[in-house]
């Protein structure tokens, strides 16, 4: 069977057969647009073992911050293509740097600011600041509490000093994130690829909007997965797994043989992703059960530190804490 | 960046320092050896890690399965496969089960793009300055580990900028990282200064070193380029530009000083400080682009939407410059520039450029009553040595109407390149004494526009225009008046 993706990328099969070496070289170079840098197994291992943070807290931080980023993207009226890139950049950054090094909402703000700045719809630091102040406030619609949110602008009013301090933190994080990722801001999203794949599959003989919507829902949900699917798997695999899941949900009839191989995904990878995508919902439920405050207020670094102390675990890195203390003093001086 | 040049002829005062350096280098070597050993160890650990990860994945899968929809058909349930289990039943009498496993095509990301922090600029040693551009300083440097010579460009940062890192610099990095073409300068990596964590930490682009830029060659060469050489240069330029446009990139500052030429006749497009991606949705573009002498008439007239044709106009200007050995249209300001353009290409008419009257700045132009004499282009007359095909290409590139200019791809197919003399092979190009190797490059041309500068023609210095009015009337038979 021929990898049909060569066709999908608009390449003549002839060049795939090696008739034209130069052509295939340029074609493959062009295809790097469809690929993402991934975390290596050793990076993932390091991240899990070197950090003093227990697995469940790691996951809670990841999920909460990715949800926050999505909410901010909506309020900033950014298209999902931009917000999703911010989600991916955030996940990449936390592969390289510890989540405990900075306040989570600041990292989220810095990624969304950076991505929007490089894209077609830039947002000003002031807009970003306002949105995050609102989301963190008691008025925030992001967190469901028992009583309906009362609209009290005083809760998210920001003084000039607050704004300045936020902007300073965000901009220094912007530089830090870029340096940590060696300035590689390219994110290939699986969404357009998934639609192209659906077209070749004739939309699984289902209504186009229904099946496309379900596929996109799976892809967007995976952005929140604490398994960090977007930094461990390439977009084509994510797209194929989302289609597989959508097909099962809708009861669509799929080809008998291994159709995913046409999209260059092997059985094992597909199996892993299919399960991972389906498990995000349960994961969220588990987090809500285990951490009572999860989803009812903004997760802050201080809360994680308190939790660590409660469990009798060391709070991350003495070195970093020293730097942070310094930051804290600076911040206090700034806000005065 | 360490500013001390690594001298091979050290003075006595520097002996001590040299010794220290040697010592450091020795240590560096020792460290590398240790690193190698470490790497082997890492390899071992990674293998173990992969196994752990796989085990973890298995547990996660088990976890996830709890939350899954119940399936009636257990045999066909993909949500809880054991590690090696098949996800769908093989057709019973399948012959494919005996067939060799399908070879899957993998698009591995380039090895350069892994998730790792930028290296420090200390891995490089500065040799000498080359030039100071609009968006940064460029220096020649050598990588300490390999001795390879590179060009290092330092991004200009404004420490107090409320918008953080300059978007132009970030775009340049973003674009160059994705570009791989023989006629586009290669970005090797991005390195940073040592103030990690500070927002104003220096950022350096490590670019491949190319010996010359076309501008200084043109200034210094005793004889102009042969037409076979001009053809090869233009072909390379067009193929680089075609690559950029194919990838939704507008360069927006093409000019001879941004075109580099190495000693093997290979041309490379450089300086992407003005470049940006233009995809869907079409972003809002600034009109403040392209160095004045290479700026297209639609930009000068303040168009709000433009495209690849602005680069093609610049290519036309470069074409003329390669032949004449001096910039084709040297306006002193925006108004002067557009009058120079009309002098050369004739006035726009409803036929030659149907929509030009609707451009914002076109209202401030007063053109003479249509006289057929003044509407024609004088390009043919200005370049008497150019063949008919050459003149037709130059005319097409310098078409006032952007829609009438050929695309870079169309340009590559032009008759001009098929005629004798044939384009000269790159390997037969003459070599030139390198300027960049030793001295600063000289610059005597306007800089690329800086963001935030005024754009309207109405904002330019009026006195110059009125002083030059008599001359203009004589020269081109029209007046340019601001109303």
């Amino acid at each position: 069977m021929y990898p049909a993706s060569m066709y999908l990328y608009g390449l003549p099969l002839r060049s795939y057969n090696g008739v034209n070496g130069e052509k295939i070289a340029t074609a493959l170079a062009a295809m790097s647009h469809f690929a993402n840098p991934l975390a290596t197994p050793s990076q993932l291992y390091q991240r899990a073992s070197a950090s003093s943070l227990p697995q469940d807290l790691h996951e809670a931080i990841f999920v909460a911050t990715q949800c926050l980023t999505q909410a901010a993207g909506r309020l900033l009226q950014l298209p999902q293509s931009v917000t999703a890139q911010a989600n991916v950049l955030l996940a990449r950054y936390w592969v390289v740097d510890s989540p405990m090094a900075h306040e989570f909402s600041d990292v989220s703000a810095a990624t969304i600011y950076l991505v929007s700045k490089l894209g077609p719809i830039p947002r000003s630091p002031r807009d970003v600041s306002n949105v995050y102040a609102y989301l963190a406030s008691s008025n925030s619609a992001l967190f469901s509490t028992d009583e309906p949110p009362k609209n009290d602008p005083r809760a998210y009013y920001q003084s000039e000093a607050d704004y300045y301090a936020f902007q300073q933190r965000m901009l220094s994080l912007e530089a830090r994130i870029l340096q940590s990722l060696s300035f590689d801001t390219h994110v290939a999203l699986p969404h357009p690829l998934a639609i192209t794949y659906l077209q070749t599959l004739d939309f699984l003989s289902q209504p186009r909007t229904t099946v496309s919507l379900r596929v996109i829902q799976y892809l967007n949900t995976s952005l929140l997965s604490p398994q960090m699917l977007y930094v461990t798997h390439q977009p084509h695999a994510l797209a194929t797994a989302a289609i597989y899941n959508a097909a099962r949900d809708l009861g669509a009839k799929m080809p008998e043989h291994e159709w995913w191989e046409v999209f260059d995904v092997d059985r094992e990878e597909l199996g892993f992703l299919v399960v991972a995508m389906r498990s995000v919902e349960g994961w969220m439920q588990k987090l809500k059960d285990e951490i009572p405050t999860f989803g009812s207020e903004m997760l802050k670094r201080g809360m994680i530190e308190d939790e660590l102390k409660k469990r009798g675990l060391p709070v991350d890195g003495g070195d970093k804490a020293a730097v942070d203390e310094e930051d804290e003093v600076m911040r206090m001086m700034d806000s005065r | 960046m360490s500013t001390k040049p690594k001298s091979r002829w050290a003075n006595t005062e520097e002996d001590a320092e040299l010794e220290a350096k040697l010592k450091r280098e020795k240590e560096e070597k020792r460290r590398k050896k240790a690193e190698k050993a470490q790497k082997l160890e890492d390899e071992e650990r990674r293998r173990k890690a992969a196994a752990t990860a796989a085990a973890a994945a298995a547990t996660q899968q088990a976890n996830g399965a709890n939350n899954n929809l119940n399936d009636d058909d257990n045999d066909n349930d993909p949500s809880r496969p054991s590690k090696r289990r098949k996800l769908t039943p093989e057709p019973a009498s399948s012959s494919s089960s005996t067939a060799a496993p399908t070879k899957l095509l993998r698009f591995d990301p380039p090895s350069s793009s892994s998730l790792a922090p930028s290296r420090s600029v200390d891995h490089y040693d500065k040799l000498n300055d080359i030039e100071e551009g609009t968006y940064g300083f460029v220096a020649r440097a050598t990588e300490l580990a390999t001795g390879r010579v590179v060009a290092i460009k330092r991004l200009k940062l404004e420490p107090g900028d409320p918008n953080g890192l300059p978007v132009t610099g970030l775009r340049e990095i973003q674009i160059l990282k994705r570009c791989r073409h023989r006629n586009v300068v290669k970005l090797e990596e991005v390195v940073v200064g040592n103030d990690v964590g500070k927002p104003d930490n220096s950022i350096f682009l490590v670019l491949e070193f190319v010996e010359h830029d076309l501008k200084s060659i043109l200034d210094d060469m005793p004889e102009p380029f042969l037409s076979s050489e001009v053809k090869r240069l233009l072909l390379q330029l067009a193929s680089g530009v075609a690559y950029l446009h194919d990838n939704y990139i507008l360069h927006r500052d093409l000019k001879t000083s941004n075109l580099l030429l190495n000693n093997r006749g290979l041309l490379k497009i450089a300086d992407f400080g003005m470049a940006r991606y233009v995809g869907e949705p079409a972003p809002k573009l600034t009109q403040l682009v392209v160095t004045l002498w290479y700026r297209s008439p639609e930009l000068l007239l303040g168009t709000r939407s433009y495209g690849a044709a602005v680069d093609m106009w610049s290519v036309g200007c470069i074409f003329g410059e390669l032949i004449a050995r001096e910039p084709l249209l040297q306006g002193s300001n925006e108004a002067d520039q557009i009058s120079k353009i009309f002098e050369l290409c004739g006035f726009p008419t409803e036929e030659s450029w149907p929509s030009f009257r609707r451009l914002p700045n076109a209202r401030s132009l007063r053109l003479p009553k249509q006289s057929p004499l003044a509407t024609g282009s004088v390009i043919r007359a200005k370049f008497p040595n150019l063949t008919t095909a050459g003149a037709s290409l130059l005319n097409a590139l310098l078409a006032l109407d952007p829609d009438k200019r050929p695309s870079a791809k169309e340009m590559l197919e032009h008759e001009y390149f098929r005629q004798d003399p044939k384009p000269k092979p790159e390997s037969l190009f003459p070599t030139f004494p390198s300027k960049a190797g030793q001295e600063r490059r000289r610059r005597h041309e306007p800089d690329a526009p800086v963001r935030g500068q005024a754009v309207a023609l109405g904002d330019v210095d009026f006195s110059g225009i009125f002083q030059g009015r008599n001359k203009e009337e004589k020269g081109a038979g029209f007046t340019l008046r601001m109303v």
Side-chain angles (χ1 to χ4, degrees), chain A residues 131-189:
Chain A
V131 161
Y132 277 85
Y134 166 74
L135 285 172
S137 74
S138 52
N139 263 287
S140 171
L142 173 61
F143 306 108
S144 52
T145 43
D146 295 331
E147 68 252 48
K150 45 194 180 310
N151 190 16
D152 179 12
R154 271 171 301 174
Y156 48 89
Y157 170 77
Q158 272 206 305
S159 70
E160 204 57 25
D162 291 342
Y163 164 65
Y164 183 73
F166 173 86
Q167 184 222 40
Q168 290 299 304
R169 278 177 284 142
M170 183 173 82
L171 295 184
S172 86
L173 259 168
E174 178 196 25
R176 184 167 182 121
I177 291 170
L178 280 168
Q179 287 168 26
S180 301
L181 300 176
S182 52
F183 293 83
D184 194 348
T185 48
H186 172 81
V187 176
L189 290 175

Side-chain angles (χ1 to χ4, degrees), chain A residues 9 31-32 36-37 43 113 117 167 174 178-180 182 184 227 248 260-261 264 267-268 272 278, chain B residues 60-61 68 71 78 83-84 87-88 102 105 107 109 113 115-118 162-163 165 177-178 180 190:
Chain A
Y9 299 133
M31 247 169 255
S32 68
N36 279 327
Q43 276 175 323
Y113 172 68
K117 176 154 111 177
Q167 184 222 40
E174 178 196 25
L178 280 168
Q179 287 168 26
S180 301
S182 52
D184 194 348
Q227 284 175 297
R248 290 196 59 81
W260 47 86
E261 287 186 350
D264 311 320
R267 185 191 297 273
E268 204 149 317
F272 174 77
R278 285 182 170 274
Chain B
Q60 280 165 354
Q61 285 181 359
N68 279 325
D71 246 66
K83 185 111 193 323
R84 295 273 166 214
L87 292 175
T88 40
T102 326
L105 206 61
F107 309 119
S113 67
L115 300 179
S118 299
N163 291 319
L165 298 175
K177 275 211 173 223
R178 307 313 296 180
R180 264 175 290 166
V190 182

